[in-house]
Amino acid sequence: MKQSGFNPFKMAQQQFDKIADKLELDEGARDLLRNPLREFHFSIPVKMDDGHTKIFQGFRVQHNDALGPSKGGIRFHPQETIDTVRALAMWMTWKCAVADIPLGGGKGGIICDPHDLSEDEQEQLCRGWARQIGRNIGPVKDVPAPDVMTNAQHMIWIMDEYEQLNAGHYPGTITGKPVDLGGSLGRTEATGYGLIYILREALKEMDVDITKTKASIQGFGNVARYAAELYIEYGGTVVSVSSWDQSEGKAFSFYREKGIDLQELLQITDRFGSIDKSEAKKLGYTVEPGDAWLTHDVDILIPAALENSITKDNADSIKKKVKIIACGANGPITPEADEILDKRGVIVLPDFLANAGGVVCSYFEQVQSNQNYYWTKEEVLGKLDNKLTDAFYKVWELSKNKNITVRDAAYMIAISRVVDACTLRGWI
Ligand code: NAD
């Protein structure tokens, strides 16, 4: 999305360059990996409800597919830019690689605001997108998924159009499908649970007993609530969560010393993840300003709402007791804040490792769809736990052996895996 003066693709390239220096990559490897392998730009004509034809601009970027078919969401946004899509596609390459799943990185989008489009117009847009990119996506090429302002219904329209074009059933073309039509059990829980599997192992390594810890969470949506659920099941205490209040146009934190009761809070939360303030007060929660979640005397912080929530301006309000920050949201800590936290000795579990549960489960969905045989929820979550625990230990050991941050170790593993795949294929 457009943000004045900020170019996410430049930032993604800078992050890559820093690790490329550490890995002493040669020029060919750098040139290949700091740019997308392929990108598609196309026009999608839609016959609008009032009879006129409107042309929408669509994109798909396949950053690198040396490890396997590209994987990544499709965003609908009025301010979508090709550089945002490029950056997100590159980050998907590293996320799949660090999780050690045989997929590459992709991302797509359409410049549009679905709030202004009827159901019929949205369906035409999805089908038009599939017709334009149809020959370049598919189970063995590139597997899209829902992202900002796209959902399971959009995915089904895209899948159906792809299947019409290819005259067959190809549910592995897309993930994020409803469970009744090829989706995976466990996907709803996957990102939040995945974060806690990784946090559980990190605490073990730090010799911290999870049952004696307290946590504060930003957000109360999909990632936050499933992270809270499993963390509480493991014996931890969540003392604060926060959410956006649409009517007041600002966020609030909800604090309770003895810990939150998840089910009780869910009953007073709307479908957008906003908690009702007056009901929360009646249940004994203190309603605080939006930033207060960051300032509590806890061991663990879990930013699970949005990007740029921990910055150089508020990092100092984090209490000394905080030992670890597990990033559920994408990009919740700015690079300057990261440096401050590193100097203070706070362990940061970076987003592309800590929230990889979602993409790993999407990979499981694709595997199940391709074989047309579906696993139980226990099977899915068990495999997810194993995969993420393995990924965590590889990163943790490198970070200890080389005395580098967990983020740098995760990047080094991810980039090395992609470089090795490109080298084996003879691309570089
Ligand atoms: P969601 O829409 O379900 O929930 C977002 C929550 O954040 C809501 O409770 C909302 O009220 C709250 N919120 C919004 N602005 C806030 C603010 N300023 N302060 C406090 N709370 C605020 O979203 P989600 O699926 O839980 O995703 C959260 C983050 O995790 C996003 O950055 C998303 O990109 C990332 N993520 C999600 C997944 C996934 O599988 N859902 C996977 C990887 C990364």
Side-chain angles (χ1 to χ4, degrees):
M1 284 176 287
K2 247 176 236 162
Q3 284 175 25
S4 53
F6 173 73
N7 183 325
F9 185 46
K10 285 216 160 61
M11 184 171 117
Q13 288 185 317
Q14 280 162 6
Q15 289 166 342
F16 168 77
D17 290 342
K18 178 181 159 199
I19 305 298
D21 288 344
K22 283 190 198 284
L23 291 170
E24 297 178 5
L25 293 187
D26 65 27
E27 210 183 319
R30 286 172 195 250
D31 286 349
L32 182 70
L33 293 176
R34 68 198 306 286
N35 291 299
L37 204 54
R38 266 171 241 113
E39 56 183 58
F40 306 92
H41 299 228
F42 41 86
S43 301
I44 307 167
V46 170
K47 195 76 78 193
M48 304 299 279
D49 292 348
D50 65 6
H52 86 284
T53 299
K54 186 166 173 181
I55 311 298
F56 291 86
Q57 198 187 354
F59 309 109
R60 185 73 185 168
V61 173
Q62 294 164 352
H63 170 258
N64 189 283
D65 58 8
L67 283 169
S70 306
K71 182 92 197 80
I74 307 167
R75 300 150 55 93
F76 282 179
H77 203 282
Q79 270 100 42
E80 193 65 291
T81 69
I82 186 63
D83 274 346
T84 307
V85 181
R86 286 174 178 141
L88 292 165
M90 188 192 279
W91 286 323
M92 282 304 293
T93 303
W94 313 140
K95 191 184 276 202
C96 292
V98 79
D100 200 15
I101 53 178
L103 296 173
K107 208 75 172 190
I110 300 179
I111 303 176
C112 71
D113 189 341
H115 296 106
D116 303 336
L117 299 171
S118 68
E119 278 271 298
D120 186 45
E121 289 163 348
Q122 290 183 49
E123 178 174 348
Q124 285 189 61
L125 202 52
C126 290
R127 291 186 183 277
W129 192 86
R131 280 196 299 277
Q132 291 301 329
I133 196 71
R135 57 181 78 79
N136 301 105
I137 60 167
V140 295
K141 292 181 183 167
D142 180 1
V143 184
D147 205 293
V148 173
M149 287 204 263
T150 53
N151 57 35
Q153 177 61 74
H154 296 119
M155 300 307 110
I156 290 299
W157 285 324
I158 291 173
M159 181 189 81
D160 186 68
E161 192 66 23
Y162 180 88
E163 291 187 342
Q164 307 282 346
L165 289 170
N166 291 281
H169 283 289
Y170 301 97
T173 302
I174 204 147
T175 63
K177 305 182 293 294
V179 171
D180 288 342
L181 215 51
S184 179
L185 293 168
R187 176 62 186 88
T188 315
E189 295 85 351
T191 308
Y193 277 22
L195 180 126
I196 301 301
Y197 297 145
I198 290 177
L199 176 67
R200 176 195 67 202
E201 298 306 315
L203 291 174
K204 268 189 218 161
E205 288 298 304
M206 293 160 72
D207 228 359
V208 175
D209 177 355
I210 197 166
T211 65
K212 298 197 168 65
T213 59
K214 288 184 178 178
S216 181
I217 303 181
Q218 186 187 35
F220 199 54
N222 173 266
V223 179
R225 62 181 71 161
Y226 285 104
E229 182 174 276
L230 191 60
Y231 171 70
I232 293 170
E233 202 180 304
Y234 285 160
T237 306
V238 176
V239 294
S240 176
V241 294
S242 64
S243 74
W244 182 257
D245 189 307
Q246 190 62 29
S247 59
E248 296 214 26
K250 57 183 178 180
F252 291 93
S253 297
F254 299 82
Y255 177 81
R256 195 163 72 174
E257 179 65 38
K258 67 171 183 181
I260 65 156
D261 178 324
L262 189 63
Q263 293 313 319
E264 171 187 88
L265 271 187
L266 284 172
Q267 277 164 18
I268 58 164
T269 302
D270 69 16
R271 67 193 171 95
F272 302 108
S274 300
I275 301 167
D276 185 317
K277 298 198 291 298
S278 57
E279 291 298 322
K281 276 185 200 156
K282 284 187 211 156
L283 292 168
Y285 292 85
T286 311
V287 179
E288 303 176 317
D291 260 0
W293 74 280
L294 196 65
T295 63
H296 293 302
D297 228 355
V298 292
D299 311 276
I300 301 157
L301 292 175
I302 304 179
L306 72 174
E307 66 283 359
N308 288 344
S309 58
I310 303 179
T311 66
K312 65 177 174 21
D313 300 326
N314 64 14
D316 287 336
S317 60
I318 295 175
K319 290 279 186 320
K320 284 210 175 68
K321 193 174 179 213
V322 172
K323 300 174 184 64
I324 186 161
I325 304 181
C327 301
N330 287 320
I333 306 182
T334 64
E336 297 92 345
D338 230 358
E339 263 178 45
I340 297 171
L341 294 166
D342 187 33
K343 282 196 188 116
R344 282 178 49 176
V346 178
I347 301 286
V348 172
L349 299 175
D351 49 6
F352 70 108
L353 173 67
N355 71 26
V359 74
V360 172
C361 197
S362 296
Y363 161 60
F364 292 159
E365 176 178 337
Q366 199 212 350
V367 170
Q368 294 169 81
S369 289
N370 286 346
Q371 63 186 7
N372 212 3
Y373 175 75
Y374 292 86
W375 309 335
T376 62
K377 187 164 162 185
E378 290 65 38
E379 243 178 309
V380 173
L381 293 176
K383 288 180 201 291
L384 183 69
D385 192 348
N386 289 342
K387 201 77 192 145
L388 293 175
T389 299
D390 273 5
F392 166 76
Y393 276 105
K394 297 237 164 55
V395 170
W396 187 259
E397 277 156 24
L398 185 70
S399 133
K400 292 290 142 207
N401 291 344
K402 290 210 175 286
N403 196 21
I404 54 177
T405 63
V406 178
R407 185 187 299 279
D408 282 358
Y411 264 122
M412 282 176 84
I413 288 180
I415 293 173
S416 302
R417 281 190 180 137
V418 179
V419 168
D420 289 350
C422 293
T423 309
L424 280 167
R425 286 174 182 277
W427 292 357
I428 48 178

